[in-house]
Amino acid sequence: MPLLRGRRSLWHRTDLKGLRAIVADGAIKPNDGSLPSSYETSIDIGHAGYRLGGVCLFDFDTAPLDDVHWAAQHWHQFLSCFHPATVVLELNRQNLAAGALIEQDGPSWKPPPHQPPGSRSPHYPRWIPHVEAWYKGPIQLGAVSRILVFRAFSGDKYEEVGAVDNAVTTVERLAAEWAADDEKTSSGHMHGLRAAMLAAHRRHFG
């Protein structure tokens, strides 16, 4: 948590493909349903970011630490959901328009319900309690203060990327290195398993 809490920052998570699009566009854009998403998005209910028309963010500073820890059951995969690399952009709050930022107002906050056509009752869109926030409108790259790249299945090991201009090249290199290393490790495990099975077969059958 020291990495994510205590800097009054907001965080946006994406993958290499998403980073390429962000750098090409010069901004993080809200998903109107036309962009790839790691969430299942329904035009009827969907995720809160889709319904609110905002960029999905994480805020680990505003809620009490106990609530952040409780919500970890929903956001624990935040740093490792993409293989071989998850890209996390740190955003400076001072570079964001306060009126466009939607934050959860207390522990009982819920997003506005939506009543799909033909439904008898309204439904709440999906959201992560306590730590999720949204920004209505694109977030310009000037608001990005740091870019971190987390390696999948590594215990939250990460590399800090330098300038935004070189971010895609750097992340592509890291992703290729990590994928190759994971493939080598996987092949080694399979070779060891085959050797163990062969040894067991020889012990039993001579």
Side-chain angles (χ1 to χ4, degrees):
M1 284 308 298
L3 177 66
L4 303 174
R5 186 177 170 94
R7 296 168 59 93
R8 295 300 299 162
S9 297
L10 295 164
W11 305 84
H12 178 72
R13 182 274 318 271
T14 188
D15 59 4
L16 177 55
K17 183 177 180 180
L19 179 65
R20 290 192 186 109
I22 289 169
V23 172
D25 293 338
I28 309 170
K29 294 182 176 180
N31 193 349
D32 59 2
S34 63
L35 303 175
S37 174
S38 57
Y39 300 104
E40 293 182 4
T41 301
S42 164
I43 195 170
D44 293 332
I45 303 174
H47 189 265
Y50 177 75
R51 295 244 55 93
L52 295 170
V55 175
C56 294
L57 305 173
F58 286 90
D59 174 6
F60 296 107
D61 279 297
T62 300
L65 186 57
D66 286 347
D67 289 340
V68 174
H69 284 159
W70 177 88
Q73 60 186 305
H74 303 291
W75 65 262
H76 70 278
Q77 75 280 13
F78 169 61
L79 301 178
S80 60
C81 57
F82 299 115
H83 182 270
T86 298
V87 182
V88 180
L89 288 76
E90 183 178 11
L91 307 174
N92 188 331
R93 287 176 184 262
Q94 295 180 345
N95 291 337
L96 301 177
L101 182 61
I102 303 172
E103 298 183 275
Q104 300 186 37
D105 186 16
S108 60
W109 183 92
K110 294 181 180 180
H114 170 69
Q115 186 160 351
S119 175
R120 295 183 178 181
S121 59
H123 298 271
Y124 287 100
R126 293 183 292 276
W127 84 102
I128 300 178
H130 305 299
V131 300
E132 192 169 11
W134 304 268
Y135 189 83
K136 300 195 71 171
I139 299 174
Q140 302 302 315
L141 283 181
V144 178
S145 57
R146 280 197 303 173
I147 300 178
L148 308 178
V149 189
F150 287 82
R151 182 172 180 173
F153 316 121
S154 68
D156 294 342
K157 292 182 180 178
Y158 70 93
E159 297 278 349
E160 183 170 344
V161 176
V164 172
D165 294 342
N166 300 322
V168 172
T169 301
T170 303
V171 175
E172 286 176 339
R173 175 181 59 79
L174 290 171
E177 291 175 359
W178 293 344
D181 189 51
D182 289 345
E183 179 65 25
K184 186 185 302 182
T185 301
S186 177
S187 297
H189 287 163
M190 289 301 296
H191 178 75
L193 179 60
R194 286 194 295 268
M197 292 175 65
L198 180 59
H201 184 275
R202 287 172 176 168
R203 285 197 302 270
H204 286 288
F205 300 102

